[in-house]
Amino acid sequence: MPAITVELAPDAPGVLLAPLLAQFAAVARLEHVTRAAAELGMPQPTLSRAVARLEEELGVTLLAREGRTVRLTRAGRIFLAAAERALAEVERGAEAARAEADPTGGRVAFGFLHTMGSEAVPMLLRGFRVEYPKVRFQLVQDYTDSMLQRLREGELDLCLVSPRPEGPELTARRLGEQRLRLVVPADHRLAGRQRVRLQEVADDAFVTLEPGYGLRRITDALCAEAGFAPRVSFEGEEAETLRGLVAAGLGVAVLPPATAPRPDVAELQLSSPGARREIALAWVTGRPLTPPAEAFRGYVLSARDRLPLHS
């Protein structure tokens, strides 16, 4: 269901009436101004003026006074039903907000690269939940540029990215680096080599990640450094898919090391010193994290030396 928004101009009904709803509801429930004032912890004259102001703003009589007691008018019953729904929704929102920030059982919105999803992220989640078993995670797999935008917009608390972002609006801490490999089919002419120069596949077709991915930028930069532009035959969104395309003989690829050996491809070291990518944890500078997100950030930074990067 789409979010419902209300006008917040100074003379909008929501702005004018919201502070008065709970006071009116208390009087309507107890049918007594003095008892309602005691329940709310406020002077009875102040409460009487608040209800009178509410009636003035609405232009209708909500309560009929009968001595020290009051009863709802027909308009009052209609408005009370709406006020009760609004107050219940606020209460639900407050409870949800408190639950979100609960240090022992809140929620962390965590983004990460697809290539981190098979080993590194499960390792981090498993280790963290030993101490915080009730914390919930919203996990988002995406490419770096998209995750950083979602981070800036508040949709994510933290994300694992590569390369490390620049600029003062984001803070990023290095977790480690991966040496990139040239992945070729098992029957490729270079498959028996351990180390190659990227120039040696300048005439081969390449399978790559789509533009916008950090690994795609690294691949293009390495090829440019080697003196050629890659002839891209396929673009994808996930490294293991590209590895499968290489195995099918559809091209070569520059990828991080596989988590497990595959007999249908060969992964060769690249001679270029730039054939590596840095992995970093990023968050928005100066934006307070909820207690569970702050705890998870601390855990990830403490576990950086144990990350399975297969370099």
Side-chain angles (χ1 to χ4, degrees):
M1 179 181 295
I4 298 173
T5 58
V6 296
E7 184 183 357
L8 295 179
D11 59 348
V15 174
L16 295 173
L17 304 180
L20 307 174
L21 295 183
Q23 296 163 350
F24 164 68
V27 174
R29 290 170 186 168
L30 296 173
E31 296 185 330
H32 201 286
V33 178
T34 303
R35 288 201 294 269
E39 183 175 280
L40 293 172
M42 63 189 300
Q44 182 268 326
T46 302
L47 180 57
S48 294
R49 287 193 297 270
V51 174
R53 181 186 167 197
L54 177 61
E55 292 178 315
E56 182 182 349
E57 293 290 352
L58 290 175
V60 297
T61 299
L62 300 174
L63 298 169
R65 280 75 178 173
E66 298 178 351
R68 295 186 178 183
T69 63
V70 295
R71 62 177 177 80
L72 285 167
T73 64
R74 180 179 176 187
R77 287 194 297 273
I78 292 172
F79 188 71
L80 177 62
E84 296 279 19
R85 288 195 299 271
L87 292 169
E89 190 63 30
V90 170
E91 184 64 27
R92 282 193 292 270
E95 287 298 324
R98 286 191 285 266
E100 184 84 353
D102 182 350
T104 62
R107 183 184 69 106
V108 179
F110 180 45
F112 54 93
L113 300 166
H114 289 86
T115 50
M116 297 285 102
S118 59
E119 282 191 288
V121 169
M123 185 210 84
L124 291 171
L125 298 181
R126 182 173 58 250
F128 178 73
R129 284 172 64 85
V130 170
E131 186 173 353
Y132 298 93
K134 295 183 180 179
V135 170
R136 296 168 291 112
F137 281 84
Q138 176 192 351
L139 301 178
V140 174
Q141 290 180 277
D142 210 336
Y143 62 97
T144 292
D145 288 358
S146 176
M147 280 195 293
L148 293 180
Q149 184 60 32
R150 295 165 85 165
L151 191 65
R152 294 184 186 98
E153 294 174 353
E155 186 179 338
L156 295 176
D157 298 313
L158 303 160
C159 57
L160 281 181
V161 294
S162 177
R164 181 162 57 172
E166 303 291 340
E169 78 280 7
L170 297 176
T171 300
R173 294 287 180 265
R174 184 180 189 274
L175 299 181
E177 69 176 23
Q178 290 180 313
R179 293 186 180 89
L180 301 178
R181 303 287 192 260
L182 178 68
V183 183
V184 302
D187 59 357
H188 192 273
R189 66 184 184 281
L190 301 176
R193 299 264 296 276
Q194 287 190 334
R195 188 179 182 88
V196 296
R197 293 174 296 111
L198 200 55
Q199 294 96 318
E200 294 180 75
V201 290
D203 295 329
D204 285 60
F206 275 70
V207 294
T208 69
L209 295 177
E210 295 176 350
Y213 284 72
L215 187 56
R216 172 63 180 270
R217 289 198 292 273
I218 294 173
T219 299
D220 290 346
L222 288 172
C223 292
E225 178 186 286
F228 69 97
R231 179 168 56 86
V232 177
S233 58
F234 290 92
E235 294 177 336
E237 298 180 347
E238 205 275 320
E240 286 309 305
T241 299
L242 299 187
R243 202 170 257 107
L245 294 175
V246 171
L250 300 177
V252 301
V254 175
L255 295 173
T259 56
R262 288 185 57 151
D264 48 5
V265 298
E267 303 205 358
L268 316 176
Q269 296 181 32
L270 285 164
S271 59
S272 171
R276 60 187 66 219
R277 69 170 184 172
E278 186 178 37
I279 307 297
L281 181 70
W283 60 90
V284 174
T285 304
R287 179 187 294 165
L289 293 172
T290 62
E294 187 172 1
F296 185 60
R297 177 178 64 183
Y299 178 79
V300 173
L301 295 177
S302 71
R304 69 183 76 189
D305 293 334
R306 304 194 301 274
L307 283 178
L309 299 180
H310 302 285
S311 292

